[in-house]
Amino acid sequence: MGFLSKIFGSTASKSESKELTLESEELENWLNTRRKGEFESILRKGDEFGREMAKVSKNLVDMGSELASATIKESKQIKELNANVQSAKSTMAKKLVTAFSSIEPWSLGTFDEMRTAQTEVSQILKSVTGVIKAHGRYVTFFFKDDLRRIQLELGKMEKLSADMAKLISENKGSFDEINDLIEDAKRYANVKTSSRTEKTTLAEINKSVTSSQRDLKDLLSKINELEQTTGFKASSGNRIKIDGLESDLSKLQSSFDTDLSRVNKPLRKYLYSASLSKAQKTLADNYLRSPATTLLSDSDMVILPILNDLREGLGKILGNPKQTEKMGKHVEDLVSSLSDTKGQLLALSKQIDVHRAISSTDEMKKHGNLNEENLRQKKILEEQLNRAKQLASKIEQDETVLKDISTRIEAKVDELFSVRVDLHRS
């Protein structure tokens, strides 16, 4: 029993102030027990109302059935009223049986159940009263005693409905306040549990962060050690040479691409009408798209006769003598420099390949692998730090929510029960 027996003992009084320390998980049970103690007699009374309403409903159903089977005495039969009386009697009887047959013995153990029952009964009474008012004049004429008994039972039901409404009205506020407290207690417990889980997760992430930082430090140390080795320094120096050669190669390729682009227009016109093999046309098209790259692969220098034929036919292609002379000089220069340009491109490409082979040492490969691992570990660490930041922010928000809920709970419990509650924030 513990603190519960102390709080709910037969001599306990609301005006008697008490100190109570609860874990958040105990609070909901404490409030549920307190609610039961505060409203047990009221809910029991509501349950009694429900059983009594069901009893009255059964009586009304029986009376409706009796009314339905009742007959007009022959000696008092009035032919002109017979049809109207029979219709009124049938309508009223059917309404009583239909309306009150839906009411079965209720077990009204909560205010929600009481409210639902009271609303249902009020609606039934309203609909039945309307039918009696509409047809009562005819029914009274021949079935006055039946109608009087029915109205007596309806009066009982109205009284029960009014008493239940009063019971609900007088106690609903306090009951709802405790229900709100119980919902607050549930939310407090849920947030508390969530916060504990988040703190555990954050601690695990922080351990992972420490481990990742240590791994990164070890990686950087290994990279630094490797960069001090003779093999790496030699490869690194060779890399500088490769960068220079690649720069020269790029400039030469760009220069040749520019030179060939000047003859693009007349060359396209020439290719459109020239009698060339499929291989020659394909190669010429490749020159138009990727001049330097195609020159390196043109082992038979197929482009030379094509350019010479182009120079011979420039007059027909361009028409303008000045343009023809200018373009002819450019094509002539291009043809004369073609072999030399190709030789330079090949020489630079071979030098680059040689130096790349020299640079491909075990130390350089290992250095590349370590750098890749370093980048991977940095990404993992960044993700861990972001997750830790999000969790820390969520935990901070939870603490604010917990503080707000606990303050509200403690104040309300003291107000309702004169009990000082201290929620552990462990």
Side-chain angles (χ1 to χ4, degrees):
M1 293 293 288
F3 64 82
L4 294 179
S5 63
K6 207 164 103 177
I7 294 300
F8 302 116
S10 58
T11 60
S13 169
K14 268 192 177 184
S15 61
E16 183 182 354
S17 181
K18 295 179 176 64
E19 290 282 349
L20 184 64
T21 298
L22 293 174
E23 292 286 352
S24 60
E25 290 79 2
E26 296 176 305
L27 181 61
E28 184 182 349
N29 291 333
W30 185 89
L31 288 169
N32 278 318
T33 306
R34 190 80 205 207
R35 178 177 60 181
K36 181 179 179 182
E38 291 289 323
F39 295 98
E40 187 172 14
S41 62
I42 296 170
L43 296 178
R44 188 166 56 248
K45 182 64 177 175
D47 200 33
E48 291 173 5
F49 281 146
R51 289 194 295 273
E52 190 63 26
M53 283 177 170
K55 188 186 299 181
V56 174
S57 295
K58 185 178 184 306
N59 292 339
L60 286 165
V61 170
D62 293 340
M63 290 176 181
S65 298
E66 291 174 6
L67 179 62
S69 60
T71 58
I72 300 173
K73 293 181 181 179
E74 287 294 327
S75 58
K76 291 186 177 182
Q77 183 175 8
I78 300 175
K79 291 182 179 180
E80 292 80 2
L81 294 175
N82 186 46
N84 290 334
V85 172
Q86 290 291 355
S87 175
K89 182 197 71 166
S90 175
T91 300
M92 190 181 297
K94 183 178 180 182
K95 183 63 178 180
L96 285 168
V97 173
T98 302
F100 289 102
S101 291
S102 63
I103 299 179
E104 299 179 357
W106 276 315
S107 177
L108 305 179
T110 69
F111 270 87
D112 285 339
E113 291 171 346
M114 288 169 64
R115 277 194 290 261
T116 301
Q118 198 277 327
T119 301
E120 183 178 340
V121 168
S122 295
Q123 291 172 346
I124 289 173
L125 286 169
K126 185 177 180 180
S127 65
V128 170
T129 300
V131 171
I132 290 176
K133 284 182 179 180
H135 302 282
R137 183 166 63 89
Y138 289 113
V139 174
T140 302
F141 196 87
F142 289 108
F143 305 102
K144 186 175 182 178
D145 291 340
D146 297 270
L147 185 57
R148 187 172 60 251
R149 288 195 302 273
I150 288 170
Q151 288 175 326
L152 182 63
E153 290 299 308
L154 286 173
K156 292 179 183 178
M157 184 64 88
E158 288 174 351
K159 178 67 166 55
L160 286 169
S161 177
D163 289 345
M164 182 180 285
K166 182 180 179 183
L167 183 69
I168 293 169
S169 177
E170 291 174 347
N171 297 279
K172 179 180 177 298
S174 298
F175 190 80
D176 287 347
E177 282 185 322
I178 295 181
N179 280 346
D180 290 342
L181 265 177
I182 290 172
E183 290 304 312
D184 276 344
K186 289 179 181 177
R187 188 182 175 209
Y188 185 93
N190 290 337
V191 175
K192 190 77 172 179
T193 300
S194 175
S195 182
R196 285 172 179 165
T197 301
E198 289 162 358
K199 287 176 181 177
T200 300
T201 304
L202 180 59
E204 293 172 353
I205 292 176
N206 284 334
K207 287 182 181 178
S208 298
V209 167
T210 301
S211 176
S212 294
Q213 288 173 334
R214 185 171 55 249
D215 291 343
L216 275 171
K217 186 177 179 180
D218 291 342
L219 274 172
L220 289 174
S221 178
K222 291 177 180 178
I223 290 172
N224 289 332
E225 290 178 3
L226 185 60
E227 288 175 350
Q228 303 307 313
T229 62
T230 303
F232 178 82
K233 288 180 178 180
S235 296
S236 181
N238 203 47
R239 180 67 252 180
I240 296 173
K241 294 180 182 178
I242 293 173
D243 290 341
L245 291 170
E246 287 179 339
S247 177
D248 292 341
L249 178 63
S250 178
K251 289 176 182 178
L252 185 59
Q253 288 174 330
S254 178
S255 177
F256 179 71
D257 290 351
T258 300
D259 288 342
L260 191 63
S261 68
R262 293 176 184 172
V263 302
N264 271 5
K265 190 173 182 180
L267 181 58
R268 287 180 188 279
K269 290 183 178 180
Y270 165 77
L271 293 175
Y272 181 76
S273 58
S275 299
L276 299 175
S277 67
K278 184 177 180 181
Q280 286 175 318
K281 283 190 174 183
T282 299
L283 185 66
D285 287 337
N286 290 339
Y287 266 103
L288 292 172
R289 286 193 295 269
S290 304
T293 303
T294 307
L295 179 60
L296 285 172
S297 63
D298 187 6
S299 57
D300 296 330
M301 296 297 285
V302 175
I303 192 63
L304 279 174
I306 292 175
L307 289 175
N308 286 324
D309 287 347
L310 170 65
R311 184 178 55 182
E312 295 296 328
L314 278 174
K316 292 182 180 180
I317 294 173
L318 297 177
N320 188 307
K322 288 185 178 180
Q323 289 183 351
T324 300
E325 183 180 357
K326 183 178 180 181
M327 184 60 67
K329 181 67 170 61
H330 181 69
V331 172
E332 184 179 351
D333 292 341
L334 186 62
V335 169
S336 63
S337 64
L338 206 61
S339 296
D340 185 51
T341 299
K342 181 176 181 179
Q344 293 180 52
L345 288 172
L346 286 171
L348 285 170
S349 297
K350 287 179 180 179
Q351 290 182 60
I352 290 170
D353 290 340
V354 171
H355 284 290
R356 280 177 178 166
I358 295 172
S359 294
S360 183
T361 60
D362 290 340
E363 288 87 354
M364 187 58 74
K365 290 178 182 177
K366 188 175 181 181
H367 188 269
N369 293 335
L370 287 175
N371 274 327
E372 288 182 7
E373 179 63 16
N374 185 51
L375 292 174
R376 190 182 73 83
Q377 288 289 350
K378 280 184 177 180
K379 184 177 180 180
I380 291 173
L381 177 60
E382 184 179 355
E383 291 172 352
Q384 291 170 341
L385 290 171
N386 285 336
R387 178 62 177 146
K389 184 179 179 181
Q390 292 171 359
L391 271 177
S393 177
K394 181 63 167 59
I395 291 169
E396 185 177 351
Q397 293 173 9
D398 287 347
E399 291 297 330
T400 301
V401 171
L402 287 171
K403 184 178 179 181
D404 178 62
I405 298 175
S406 63
T407 300
R408 188 164 61 247
I409 289 173
E410 290 165 5
K412 201 63 181 177
V413 169
D414 193 13
E415 176 188 335
L416 291 176
F417 306 120
S418 295
V419 174
R420 295 287 301 266
V421 174
D422 177 27
L423 289 174
H424 288 324
R425 296 185 178 85
S426 56

